[in-house]
Amino acid sequence: MKFLLIFFALLPAISFSQKYQLVPLPAGPKTSIRGLSIVSDRVAWVSGSNGYVGKTIDSGTTWQWTQPAGKENLDFRDIQAFNSQKAIIVNAGSPAYILMTVDGGKSWKTTYHNADPAIFLDGMDFWNGKQGMIFGDPIAHRMQLLQTTDGGLSWSNISANLKLDMAEGEAGFAASGTTIKVVGKGQVWVSSGGMAANIYHSADYGQNWNRYALPIWSGGNSTGPFSMDFYNELQGMVVGGDYLQDELNTNNILLTINGGKDWFKPKVPVTGYRSGVKYINKLLCIAVGTSGVDLSTDGGQTWSLLSDLSFNAVGASKNGKLVLLAGGNGLLYKLK
């Protein structure tokens, strides 16, 4: 009888692992992949340390790798791809560069350069083919905000629009370039962490901003939200924790149903620190981190550990048919 009780208790986990599997893809060069942009079911781009950028046009079966000339030492923490030919990459640290390719990665043009020792860009997102935004750590207590309206050809500093000082020790995390998220026409959210955690929200392409408290694990330089996703203008989630204690899951995932004004804990949290989260569809969600991969089939309310493999970033095509996971040493997997 005891055996039967244990068996039936394990049935959900058994069926879960049989339904979803991680399939290894050809590994890339020696690079810690953190940027990931999936254009379609076949086309995806990744970026990482040592100046590497990778592209697939066959759903991850094969990859083309390149290093923008003269930028081999940069750590490209985020990438935004538009098709198989055009992509934009941004590095973390100073000096800051934004580079663009329009020939599939054969050549790269610098569209932004900032040598300020304090500059540190964290993440990027685009509403459409023309309008996009990048945010960075504060300089003189003000979050850095860059905006493009011409598809990344030029960037304007709109940091003065956010008339709210950030707390001492409050900053962004460039773990996967996903602590910024845009939705619809003009909606954008930016999450901050460290000594204080907040959500900064604009509904008009960054012209005006509100700030809401984010009650996630914070209070230390290694704590806070490390990734965020919104399914629509109301439903969203943030994940994070403490990357120095990646097996702890104390208050490291929160959900919202009112556009980030209020946040609440799920019924069953993710199992550790997570640096990437994505809605595959309204109900199926995935979260990745250095201590494993979690899946939810109820919109983020309950999570189950799928794998203890280590990843930095996760992305999905719009219809959810292509889901890629990326990590250190060129690690690449597909969710099947």
Side-chain angles (χ1 to χ4, degrees):
M1 180 65 70
K2 184 177 180 180
F3 171 79
L4 288 176
L5 289 175
I6 295 174
F7 175 78
F8 285 115
L10 289 174
L11 272 179
I14 294 172
S15 60
F16 186 86
S17 63
Q18 289 176 340
K19 187 173 183 180
Y20 301 101
Q21 295 178 335
L22 295 181
V23 179
L25 301 175
K30 189 177 180 181
T31 178
S32 178
I33 303 172
R34 294 185 180 274
L36 175 55
S37 182
I38 301 182
V39 179
S40 66
D41 293 342
R42 297 187 62 81
V43 177
W45 295 66
V46 296
S47 64
S49 60
N50 301 320
Y52 278 106
V53 179
K55 179 183 70 173
T56 179
I57 57 174
D58 54 13
S59 305
T61 302
T62 60
W63 293 81
Q64 304 167 28
W65 293 92
T66 186
Q67 291 172 294
K71 306 298 189 295
E72 294 85 357
N73 294 325
L74 296 185
D75 189 355
F76 293 116
R77 294 291 183 93
D78 201 6
I79 185 168
Q80 179 75 36
F82 300 86
N83 48 51
S84 65
Q85 298 300 302
K86 180 180 177 180
I88 296 171
I89 51 177
V90 56
N91 73 298
S94 178
Y97 289 92
I98 302 174
L99 307 180
M100 175 191 292
T101 182
V102 293
D103 58 9
K106 296 176 183 177
S107 63
W108 296 83
K109 176 184 178 181
T110 299
T111 61
Y112 175 86
H113 174 240
N114 190 334
D116 188 329
I119 193 71
F120 194 106
L121 301 180
D122 293 295
M124 162 179 58
D125 205 0
F126 273 72
W127 287 276
N128 49 54
K130 296 293 185 181
Q131 295 170 290
M133 183 173 291
I134 292 175
F135 89 101
D137 286 353
I139 297 178
H141 300 289
R142 289 293 177 91
M143 181 187 295
Q144 297 302 292
L145 294 168
L146 304 176
Q147 184 182 63
T148 183
T149 57
D150 56 12
L153 289 172
S154 62
W155 295 86
S156 302
N157 190 327
I158 62 165
S159 304
N161 291 355
L162 207 171
K163 300 174 174 59
L164 297 166
D165 284 349
M166 299 181 76
E168 193 70 35
E170 178 187 1
F173 288 110
S176 61
T178 53
T179 47
I180 180 172
K181 177 66 179 181
V182 306
V183 170
K185 296 182 178 180
Q187 300 279 347
V188 55
W189 295 264
V190 176
S191 60
S192 66
M195 301 307 295
N198 287 292
I199 292 290
Y200 296 83
H201 173 248
S202 172
D204 54 8
Y205 297 98
Q207 298 306 302
N208 298 280
W209 294 83
N210 291 309
R211 179 170 60 193
Y212 307 111
L214 181 65
I216 200 169
W217 188 357
S218 60
N221 292 331
S222 59
T223 63
F226 285 76
S227 183
M228 172 173 56
D229 196 23
F230 274 78
Y231 180 74
N232 53 36
E233 295 184 357
L234 296 176
Q235 181 182 344
M237 68 178 73
V238 294
V239 297
D242 186 344
Y243 70 83
L244 297 178
Q245 304 179 78
D246 66 354
E247 293 185 355
L248 297 183
N249 67 340
T250 304
N251 190 26
N252 59 353
I253 177 170
L254 294 174
L255 310 176
T256 183
I257 54 173
N258 63 359
K261 297 181 178 66
D262 301 290
W263 297 84
F264 59 94
K265 294 181 180 180
K267 296 176 182 177
V268 180
V270 292
T271 53
Y273 158 79
R274 297 292 177 259
S275 58
V277 68
K278 188 67 180 176
Y279 284 97
I280 299 174
N281 55 48
K282 187 174 184 179
L283 295 179
L284 183 60
C285 312
I286 185 170
V288 304
T290 50
S291 62
V293 180
D294 295 293
L295 282 180
S296 170
T297 57
D298 57 6
Q301 291 291 337
T302 58
W303 294 83
S304 298
L305 183 67
L306 176 66
S307 169
D308 59 3
L309 288 172
S310 174
F311 296 100
N312 298 323
V314 62
S317 58
K318 288 183 179 180
N319 61 17
K321 291 184 178 180
L322 178 62
V323 180
L324 297 179
L325 301 81
N329 293 316
L331 191 69
L332 289 162
Y333 271 71
K334 180 190 297 187
L335 178 70
K336 183 179 180 181

